[in-house]
Amino acid sequence: MEEAPRPNVSAQDVLAGPIPAHVACVMDGNGRWAARRGLPRTEGHGAGEAALLDAVEGALDLSIPWITMYAFSTENWRRPADEVRYLMGFNESLLLRRRDELHEKGVRIRFAGRRDWRVPKRVLRRMDESVDLTKDNRRCTLTMAFNYGGRAEIVDAVRQLVADGVPANKVDEKAIRSRLYYPDMPDPDLMIRTSGETRISNFLLWQLAYSELVFDPVLWPDFRRQHLFAAVREFQQRQRRYGGIS
Ligand code: IPE
Ligand code: IPE
Ligand code: MG
């Protein structure tokens, strides 16, 4: 199968304009990428690794300080047990393979999501090791949304509010925001979803309130930094109004 075309956009082309401080990405289309090649879906997930690493490189090229990648949703447990098992093992081994190079590049790795009993212990261990290894890096923070759901995050924040004994008249946006998984993380300026699906699928529901959304038909395994650059260029052409007038 021939290679998917890449947008003809370079880092230089976009560096003249405003660069988003936080780009969030729904890495979608692995299964369809594999199906088109007559391969099992898991091969698509495997091929997504190169796309993820190149996207991180692209973010570093643009000096984007925050990137968040949706790797596994709270709804993805609905998939066949074999695929779920593959994804758990794949994410664990990806960390083992890639954490040193990410660390050398100055990337801080974090995870957003629920650490519930369904996530195998050894995956949690690998996550903790990666976080610990890279915790002092500041060039770019890569947050992997893993066993992540936007509603679950809000529920967890509300539980914390109640546990903290916050009275009703003290509940405001700041009180909720400060109880999200990473209160220091700025809201995404730009959210990219691949594979042509035009939905949020429970990603960062609170934080995406005023993000610019870019939907790219490219299937995730074919995504490369040029797609990121093209999305940033599109972002630069948007007019953000936040409910006001320009
Ligand atoms: C995204 O690709 C990866 C995960 C959700 C883990 P999909 O596996 O959803 O691929 P499609 O959407 O079926 O093509
Ligand atoms: C969203 O993709 C989750 C991730 C990319 C990890 P899905 O493929 O799970 O979303 P739906 O089911 O098409 O909405
Ligand atoms: Mg999908």
Side-chain angles (χ1 to χ4, degrees):
M1 185 167 271
E2 61 195 86
E3 289 233 330
R6 292 178 193 167
N8 187 19
V9 193
S10 70
Q12 290 312 320
D13 294 335
V14 287
L15 275 168
I19 297 298
H22 182 184
V23 176
C25 190
V26 180
M27 308 186 282
D28 196 18
N30 297 349
R32 279 163 282 171
W33 183 93
R36 281 187 196 171
R37 287 163 175 75
L39 299 168
R41 294 178 52 82
T42 50
E43 294 279 325
H45 299 313
E49 178 172 341
L52 171 63
L53 269 290
D54 209 67
V56 172
E57 286 286 348
L60 295 174
D61 291 344
L62 299 183
S63 304
I64 294 171
W66 299 84
I67 49 174
T68 300
M69 312 299 276
Y70 206 2
F72 192 89
S73 76
T74 46
E75 286 71 40
N76 287 146
W77 297 106
R78 294 184 184 145
R79 296 190 177 198
D82 278 354
E83 183 172 345
V84 168
R85 203 173 310 116
Y86 176 90
L87 283 167
M88 291 297 141
F90 172 69
N91 280 290
E92 184 203 354
S93 63
L94 184 146
L95 288 175
L96 266 179
R97 274 193 301 282
R98 302 295 193 166
R99 65 184 177 201
D100 289 331
E101 71 181 87
L102 289 168
H103 179 47
E104 277 158 29
K105 291 185 209 299
V107 175
R108 172 170 61 167
I109 304 171
R110 286 180 173 182
F111 295 89
R114 278 195 177 156
R115 297 172 65 99
D116 66 37
W117 56 272
R118 293 173 296 185
V119 182
K121 286 273 182 311
R122 48 168 222 292
V123 180
L124 293 174
R125 202 152 52 228
R126 222 58 79 202
M127 288 162 55
D128 292 343
E129 289 164 4
S130 307
V131 168
D132 192 57
L133 173 72
T134 62
K135 65 179 187 303
D136 297 323
N137 295 338
R138 287 296 179 275
R139 192 172 168 207
C140 178
T141 299
L142 164 64
T143 304
M144 299 298 294
F146 188 80
N147 193 19
Y148 175 87
R151 289 184 176 177
E153 179 174 26
I154 294 169
V155 167
D156 289 350
V158 171
R159 282 184 186 164
Q160 193 57 52
L161 270 177
V162 174
D164 292 344
V166 179
N169 65 337
K170 290 275 189 284
V171 177
D172 55 14
E173 290 188 12
K174 191 159 157 267
I176 293 175
R177 181 181 289 279
S178 68
R179 289 167 178 84
L180 296 175
Y181 294 145
Y182 290 108
D184 63 338
M185 183 179 86
D187 288 346
D189 299 296
L190 168 62
M191 193 280 282
I192 304 168
R193 182 170 185 151
T194 60
S195 88
E197 304 295 356
T198 46
R199 54 179 170 261
I200 302 293
S201 300
N202 204 13
F203 191 37
L204 301 174
L205 292 183
W206 178 279
Q207 297 89 337
L208 290 177
Y210 267 103
S211 307
E212 294 299 325
L213 310 181
V214 170
F215 298 99
D216 189 323
V218 68
L219 300 175
W220 179 255
D222 289 327
F223 190 93
R224 290 298 179 272
R225 69 187 81 183
Q226 292 81 6
H227 296 91
L228 172 69
F229 300 157
V232 171
R233 196 171 55 180
E234 185 167 339
F235 163 82
Q236 291 173 338
Q237 281 146 17
R238 302 272 178 94
Q239 234 185 65
R240 305 181 79 184
R241 282 190 286 272
Y242 301 98
I245 52 174
S246 45

